[in-house]
Amino acid sequence: MPVFAFAIGVAARDVQGNCIDCFYPAPLKEPDGDLGDAISKAFKPGTATVRAEQVRDFVQTRQPALAPVLETERELIATLLPADKAVSSTPEAFLKLHLLSHRLTLPNSMNLDGIFAHLQTVAWTTEGAIALADLPERQLRARLAGRHFEVLSVDKFPKMANYVIPSGVRIADSSRIRLGAYLGEGTTVMPSGAVNFNAAALGPNMVEGRISQGVVLGQGSDLGGGASTMGTLAGGGEITITIGRQCLIGANGGTGIPLGDRCTIEAGLYITAGTRVTVIDEDGNRVRVARGRELAGGSDMLFIRHSESGEVQCRTNRKAIALNEQLHAHN
Amino acid sequence: MPVFAFAIGVAARDVQGNCIDCFYPAPLKEPDGDLGDAISKAFKPGTATVRAEQVRDFVQTRQPALAPVLETERELIATLLPADKAVSSTPEAFLKLHLLSHRLTLPNSMNLDGIFAHLQTVAWTTEGAIALADLPERQLRARLAGRHFEVLSVDKFPKMANYVIPSGVRIADSSRIRLGAYLGEGTTVMPSGAVNFNAAALGPNMVEGRISQGVVLGQGSDLGGGASTMGTLAGGGEITITIGRQCLIGANGGTGIPLGDRCTIEAGLYITAGTRVTVIDEDGNRVRVARGRELAGGSDMLFIRHSESGEVQCRTNRKAIALNEQLHAHN
Amino acid sequence: MPVFAFAIGVAARDVQGNCIDCFYPAPLKEPDGDLGDAISKAFKPGTATVRAEQVRDFVQTRQPALAPVLETERELIATLLPADKAVSSTPEAFLKLHLLSHRLTLPNSMNLDGIFAHLQTVAWTTEGAIALADLPERQLRARLAGRHFEVLSVDKFPKMANYVIPSGVRIADSSRIRLGAYLGEGTTVMPSGAVNFNAAALGPNMVEGRISQGVVLGQGSDLGGGASTMGTLAGGGEITITIGRQCLIGANGGTGIPLGDRCTIEAGLYITAGTRVTVIDEDGNRVRVARGRELAGGSDMLFIRHSESGEVQCRTNRKAIALNEQLHAHN
């Protein structure tokens, strides 16, 4: 049996026993022959509840990083996905989100159909995930007991940072990065930065803007403060936005078209698929007026709105964008 | 005696005994005859501290959801407002904020005069509301004890999510929604979304921008990432902004004028009362140049800044804004 | 021996014993003669670990606010900087950040060279600062124990609010203000506001936008929702941005040039050093076209993008910016 993904973890349940949260400390994607065989032999497809005793051999020989689970009396879960099919359960949805945040797969490379339907909207609190039906009584009882009980978010997706911190990243405010975000080595997300699930900063990147679902920001690119990338879920169209290497989207700017490498959009300018852009060549000649979508994916483009004429222009971009040395040297 | 609002709750006090925080799990607004009579008989106008024993009959017969309060030794409070007058106490201020967040009243429909004066600026922490005068010693003692003590905000208004989560909403980051916000069924507030007190998303809505104090966002409207609505407190003028149904304010755009239904402001464009807007009819003819304020409240308007001429235009908006199906189906 | 800065505090260490976090409740800068002499006599330059007993006399006679430290068995630290040199240790880096947030020094007035190198990137959690190497096991063990463990940020800089709340400020979301920010009396930071280290709102100010590293916002100025100030670290150039008194940067606007007093940038407009700005005098005459950098530091300027011509203009600004009375009266 092939193994697409496998993980041992800990689940949280609501009072009815429904799984509402899964934590997999060391997920695996397409494990190699020997390890894959060991998983196929020891586990069945789908999700099973297991006791520490049942996974002792596997953990000791194959995943020693999971050793602490062997000391627990708590119920564990083991989820095995033989293939990358549509999401059919909550533990499976969580496993796929973990694969992204553990950098085992890139955005837009897995089948995430059905993921919304299999993630319950719950309250993420300082006492863990709590079903909304159970929340009011929990809040009241905490108040009566004089115990502070903080509701941090109410969402289908938890914050990534409570599941994994990938190496070499900085995150100013963990509430802005969903589990399922892919943050590459050397990525800094500032307070106004946000990264959705199935979205990536490949790293190194400075992210002060919003990386929408499906969007990938390439190596060395800089997303300025409040800058926007149009997603495919809300507002955006069918185009998936990819931003190449060494690009700069200025503060409060944005893009609704994919960009190649070394592109710049000046601060405050939003380029959409429908924007009429006057293209200007390296010698300063006006070449033509193109729609944004016609320029999609091009490299070495500098987009500005001319401050005398108000005309949106695309010029050849000669200035390389170098991320600040000091910031990244010690990241 | 008429009853405008009534609630039983739990208060927090500073070391001097001043009330700094009130939690009312089940506030009532203008209760009907029988219930109103029962309240008038059992309680006096204003706020009284009560023991569980004193409210046992009322809770058991009238508000069984409050049953857990009957088990407490803790002091409770009961606040009764016969009429909707200017805010004259902290428990009253909190009660009015609860009415909004429990969807019992819409923004701009209550007398909130004096609310700032009756809300003390306190530290909202993982150990509850703490008066600023008491904070430094609390912080030092927690450090010395090796106990983490988190200050989440310093404000007159607490976050809504620690008081009530209205049905059918998602909130990416609870720190951005103040108690007194009104979030309608089917509203999703993303990480860059924010909703002030006395402000509403009537639902269903996708809110990735800022809903300022006094602003109401209508059914099916979408406030894009970082989009701004001008409030009446800071920066804005005297006009209260209402946005109708099926509108879209694009990412990093904004409005300083009220909008009717099916209006769109393109991403990155800010329309203010003073903006000179060239109005273009359905046949593409230039009709006139109007100030933003002259267009206030109109429907079926599409605002763009023409990307060749830099001219801000208002066109008839033919494209309906449909919120993403999948997102809302499982909300 | 001169004393540039001195403080007694509490340190947190990783499992190897490296200092990763320092809390100084009452830092001192350039203490006057007698106090300075007492410090010079009692302490050596650099950072020493001390027991309560060793600082008893000093605390009782010189810093009674620190009395709680005398009751602890915990290791304390004492950091003494004879002069303002480049940062050479973690306790020193934290001490300089404290000086800023305690309003003992203004941004850009201290030598912060090397500060990035001496601040370890750690996880700031509900169980305190935790080295990233120690985090995965901590997260797993907390889950197995059924205990919620929240990772709030992963950064070199902690949030200011867990160290000091300067008088007269409001902070909607503490995760957006780094230790090392300077918040003056009467400053309100809204949910979309952010203040980096070595950056200031001198107060009173309404801050709904981002104050980048090195930027200073003057008295009575208002930074609108999502407004941007260009920093010197990422994206910005060599110019340090200072914004004078009574300025207004409109929502989603921004500046890459310093401004004097009583300047306004309209909502949605970003002025950079390279923007070609048409200067218009008080009588409405077009004077010249200047680059943004040529206008840097000027007062009484109103920047708009003309909504008919798309031209960026600088006009004499006749309208004073008055912060909302009610908001600030009860701050």
Side-chain angles (χ1 to χ4, degrees):
Chain A
M1 183 180 61
V3 176
F4 171 68
F6 173 75
I8 291 169
V10 182
R13 299 182 185 280
D14 64 16
V15 293
Q16 280 80 40
N18 300 308
C19 174
I20 54 176
D21 179 23
C22 303
F23 171 65
Y24 301 109
L28 299 168
K29 177 163 172 280
E30 295 175 337
D32 284 340
D34 197 37
L35 179 54
D37 290 349
I39 293 166
S40 301
K41 249 177 246 169
F43 301 94
K44 295 206 173 111
T47 299
T49 59
V50 293
R51 291 275 152 198
E53 212 42 54
Q54 297 171 260
V55 297
R56 183 171 301 278
D57 281 356
F58 182 81
V59 166
Q60 286 176 339
T61 57
R62 305 289 179 168
Q63 294 205 292
L66 292 181
V69 306
L70 301 179
E71 303 163 25
T72 190
E73 295 293 307
R74 198 186 171 89
E75 173 199 288
L76 302 170
I77 58 168
T79 299
L80 166 56
L81 307 183
D84 178 24
K85 297 189 179 161
V87 175
S88 65
S89 74
T90 302
E92 188 179 333
F94 272 86
L95 178 49
K96 287 192 164 179
L97 295 174
H98 276 71
L99 294 183
L100 283 155
S101 291
H102 278 264
R103 298 179 183 156
L104 296 173
T105 185
L106 287 168
N108 309 317
S109 67
M110 271 189 301
N111 187 342
L112 297 177
D113 291 349
I115 197 164
F116 278 86
H118 288 285
L119 292 172
Q120 200 181 126
T121 299
V122 301
W124 302 96
T125 80
T126 43
E127 300 185 3
I130 295 181
L132 293 177
D134 306 335
L135 187 66
E137 188 174 335
R138 289 288 292 266
Q139 288 185 303
L140 175 52
R141 290 193 181 277
R143 290 270 181 172
L144 292 170
R147 188 178 77 246
H148 184 70
F149 171 81
E150 183 81 16
V151 176
L152 296 150
S153 67
V154 177
D155 201 353
K156 292 174 174 291
F157 299 83
K159 58 166 69 168
M160 183 189 80
N162 288 342
Y163 297 78
V164 57
I165 300 297
S167 62
V169 306
R170 289 197 284 157
I171 296 169
D173 179 357
S174 65
S175 63
R176 301 177 68 82
I177 300 176
R178 277 174 160 173
L179 181 64
Y182 179 111
L183 294 194
E185 185 84 26
T187 295
T188 294
V189 185
M190 296 291 282
S192 294
V195 189
N196 210 329
F197 80 96
N198 192 45
L202 297 182
N205 299 107
M206 180 60 67
V207 181
E208 299 200 57
R210 301 176 296 276
I211 304 184
S212 300
Q213 198 276 131
V215 174
V216 173
L217 182 67
Q219 185 188 334
S221 289
D222 197 336
L223 194 60
S228 167
T229 56
M230 214 173 264
T232 49
L233 291 179
E238 297 302 305
I239 310 177
T240 298
I241 306 292
T242 300
I243 295 171
R245 301 179 176 204
Q246 307 295 121
C247 291
L248 168 64
I249 314 295
N252 295 347
T255 185
I257 61 168
L259 299 173
D261 299 333
R262 297 170 303 279
C263 291
T264 298
I265 296 177
E266 73 166 354
L269 177 61
Y270 209 112
I271 299 292
T272 66
T275 307
R276 287 173 177 279
V277 181
T278 301
V279 181
I280 293 182
D281 70 16
E282 295 197 47
D283 302 317
N285 300 313
R286 304 164 70 86
V287 180
R288 61 172 177 137
V289 174
R291 291 285 190 175
R293 68 175 63 85
E294 300 172 63
L295 301 172
S299 289
D300 296 295
M301 301 186 292
L302 165 64
F303 293 91
I304 65 158
R305 188 189 298 271
H306 195 279
S307 55
E308 289 177 281
S309 68
E311 182 182 71
V312 175
Q313 300 178 340
C314 170
R315 299 174 179 209
T316 296
N317 179 6
R318 293 198 185 84
K319 193 182 174 189
I321 307 307
L323 283 168
N324 180 285
E325 297 288 326
Q326 194 188 18
L327 267 180
H328 289 271
H330 300 295
N331 196 17
Chain B
M1 183 181 62
V3 176
F4 171 68
F6 173 76
I8 292 170
V10 182
R13 298 182 187 281
D14 64 15
V15 294
Q16 279 80 40
N18 300 308
C19 173
I20 55 176
D21 179 22
C22 303
F23 172 66
Y24 301 109
L28 298 169
K29 175 162 174 282
E30 295 174 337
D32 284 339
D34 196 38
L35 179 55
D37 290 349
I39 292 165
S40 301
K41 250 177 247 169
F43 302 93
K44 295 207 174 109
T47 299
T49 59
V50 294
R51 291 276 153 199
E53 212 41 56
Q54 297 170 258
V55 297
R56 182 171 301 278
D57 280 355
F58 182 82
V59 165
Q60 285 175 341
T61 58
R62 304 289 179 170
Q63 292 205 294
L66 292 181
V69 307
L70 302 179
E71 304 164 26
T72 191
E73 295 294 307
R74 198 185 172 90
E75 172 199 287
L76 301 170
I77 58 169
T79 300
L80 167 55
L81 308 182
D84 179 24
K85 297 188 178 161
V87 175
S88 65
S89 73
T90 302
E92 189 179 333
F94 271 86
L95 178 49
K96 287 192 164 178
L97 296 174
H98 277 72
L99 294 183
L100 283 155
S101 291
H102 278 263
R103 297 178 183 157
L104 295 172
T105 186
L106 287 169
N108 308 316
S109 66
M110 273 189 301
N111 187 341
L112 297 177
D113 291 350
I115 197 165
F116 278 87
H118 287 286
L119 291 172
Q120 200 182 125
T121 299
V122 301
W124 303 96
T125 79
T126 42
E127 300 186 3
I130 295 181
L132 292 177
D134 307 334
L135 187 65
E137 187 174 336
R138 289 287 293 263
Q139 289 185 303
L140 175 52
R141 290 194 182 277
R143 291 268 181 171
L144 292 170
R147 188 178 77 248
H148 184 72
F149 170 80
E150 183 80 17
V151 176
L152 296 150
S153 66
V154 177
D155 201 353
K156 292 173 175 292
F157 299 84
K159 58 166 70 169
M160 183 189 80
N162 287 341
Y163 297 78
V164 57
I165 299 296
S167 62
V169 307
R170 289 195 285 158
I171 296 169
D173 179 358
S174 65
S175 62
R176 301 178 68 84
I177 301 176
R178 277 174 161 173
L179 181 65
Y182 180 113
L183 296 193
E185 185 83 27
T187 294
T188 294
V189 185
M190 296 291 283
S192 295
V195 189
N196 210 330
F197 80 96
N198 192 44
L202 298 182
N205 297 108
M206 180 59 66
V207 181
E208 300 199 57
R210 301 177 296 275
I211 304 184
S212 299
Q213 197 276 132
V215 174
V216 174
L217 182 67
Q219 184 188 335
S221 289
D222 197 336
L223 193 61
S228 167
T229 56
M230 216 174 263
T232 50
L233 291 180
E238 298 301 305
I239 311 176
T240 298
I241 306 292
T242 301
I243 296 170
R245 301 179 176 204
Q246 307 296 124
C247 291
L248 168 64
I249 314 296
N252 294 347
T255 185
I257 61 168
L259 299 173
D261 299 332
R262 297 170 304 279
C263 290
T264 298
I265 296 178
E266 71 166 357
L269 177 62
Y270 209 111
I271 300 292
T272 66
T275 308
R276 288 171 177 280
V277 181
T278 301
V279 180
I280 294 182
D281 70 15
E282 297 198 44
D283 302 317
N285 299 314
R286 304 164 71 86
V287 180
R288 61 173 177 136
V289 174
R291 290 286 189 176
R293 68 176 63 84
E294 299 172 64
L295 302 172
S299 290
D300 296 296
M301 301 186 293
L302 166 63
F303 293 92
I304 65 158
R305 186 187 300 271
H306 195 279
S307 54
E308 289 177 280
S309 68
E311 183 182 71
V312 175
Q313 300 178 341
C314 171
R315 301 175 177 207
T316 296
N317 180 5
R318 293 197 185 84
K319 194 183 172 188
I321 307 306
L323 283 168
N324 181 283
E325 297 288 328
Q326 193 188 18
L327 267 180
H328 290 271
H330 301 293
N331 197 16
Chain C
M1 182 180 62
V3 176
F4 171 69
F6 174 74
I8 292 170
V10 183
R13 299 183 185 280
D14 64 14
V15 293
Q16 279 81 42
N18 300 308
C19 174
I20 55 175
D21 180 22
C22 303
F23 172 66
Y24 302 108
L28 298 169
K29 176 162 173 281
E30 293 173 340
D32 283 340
D34 196 37
L35 179 54
D37 290 349
I39 292 166
S40 300
K41 249 177 246 169
F43 301 94
K44 296 209 172 105
T47 299
T49 59
V50 293
R51 292 275 152 199
E53 212 41 56
Q54 298 171 260
V55 297
R56 183 172 302 278
D57 280 356
F58 182 82
V59 165
Q60 285 175 341
T61 58
R62 305 289 179 170
Q63 293 206 292
L66 292 182
V69 308
L70 302 179
E71 304 164 25
T72 190
E73 295 293 309
R74 198 187 171 89
E75 172 199 287
L76 301 170
I77 58 169
T79 300
L80 166 55
L81 307 183
D84 179 25
K85 297 189 178 159
V87 175
S88 66
S89 73
T90 301
E92 189 179 333
F94 271 86
L95 178 49
K96 288 192 164 180
L97 295 174
H98 277 71
L99 294 182
L100 283 155
S101 291
H102 278 263
R103 298 178 183 157
L104 296 172
T105 185
L106 287 168
N108 309 318
S109 67
M110 272 190 301
N111 187 342
L112 297 177
D113 291 350
I115 196 165
F116 277 87
H118 287 286
L119 292 172
Q120 200 182 126
T121 299
V122 301
W124 303 96
T125 80
T126 43
E127 301 185 3
I130 295 182
L132 292 177
D134 306 336
L135 187 65
E137 188 174 337
R138 290 287 292 264
Q139 289 184 303
L140 175 53
R141 289 192 182 278
R143 291 269 181 170
L144 292 170
R147 187 178 79 246
H148 184 72
F149 170 81
E150 184 79 18
V151 176
L152 296 150
S153 67
V154 177
D155 202 352
K156 291 174 174 294
F157 299 83
K159 58 166 68 169
M160 183 189 80
N162 287 341
Y163 297 79
V164 58
I165 300 295
S167 63
V169 305
R170 289 196 285 156
I171 296 169
D173 179 358
S174 65
S175 62
R176 301 178 67 84
I177 300 176
R178 276 174 161 172
L179 181 64
Y182 180 112
L183 295 193
E185 187 82 27
T187 295
T188 294
V189 185
M190 296 290 283
S192 295
V195 190
N196 210 329
F197 79 98
N198 192 45
L202 297 182
N205 298 107
M206 180 60 66
V207 181
E208 299 200 56
R210 301 177 296 274
I211 304 185
S212 300
Q213 198 276 133
V215 174
V216 173
L217 182 67
Q219 184 189 333
S221 289
D222 198 335
L223 192 61
S228 167
T229 56
M230 213 174 264
T232 49
L233 290 180
E238 296 302 305
I239 311 176
T240 298
I241 306 292
T242 300
I243 296 170
R245 301 178 176 205
Q246 308 295 122
C247 291
L248 168 64
I249 314 295
N252 295 347
T255 186
I257 61 168
L259 299 172
D261 299 334
R262 297 170 305 280
C263 291
T264 298
I265 296 178
E266 73 166 355
L269 177 62
Y270 209 111
I271 300 292
T272 65
T275 307
R276 286 171 176 280
V277 181
T278 301
V279 181
I280 295 182
D281 71 15
E282 297 197 45
D283 302 317
N285 300 313
R286 306 164 70 85
V287 180
R288 61 172 177 135
V289 174
R291 291 285 190 174
R293 68 175 64 84
E294 299 172 63
L295 302 171
S299 290
D300 295 297
M301 301 186 291
L302 165 63
F303 292 92
I304 64 158
R305 186 188 299 272
H306 195 279
S307 54
E308 290 177 280
S309 68
E311 183 181 71
V312 175
Q313 300 178 341
C314 170
R315 299 172 179 211
T316 296
N317 179 7
R318 293 196 183 86
K319 194 182 173 188
I321 307 307
L323 282 169
N324 180 283
E325 296 288 328
Q326 193 188 19
L327 265 181
H328 290 271
H330 301 292
N331 197 15

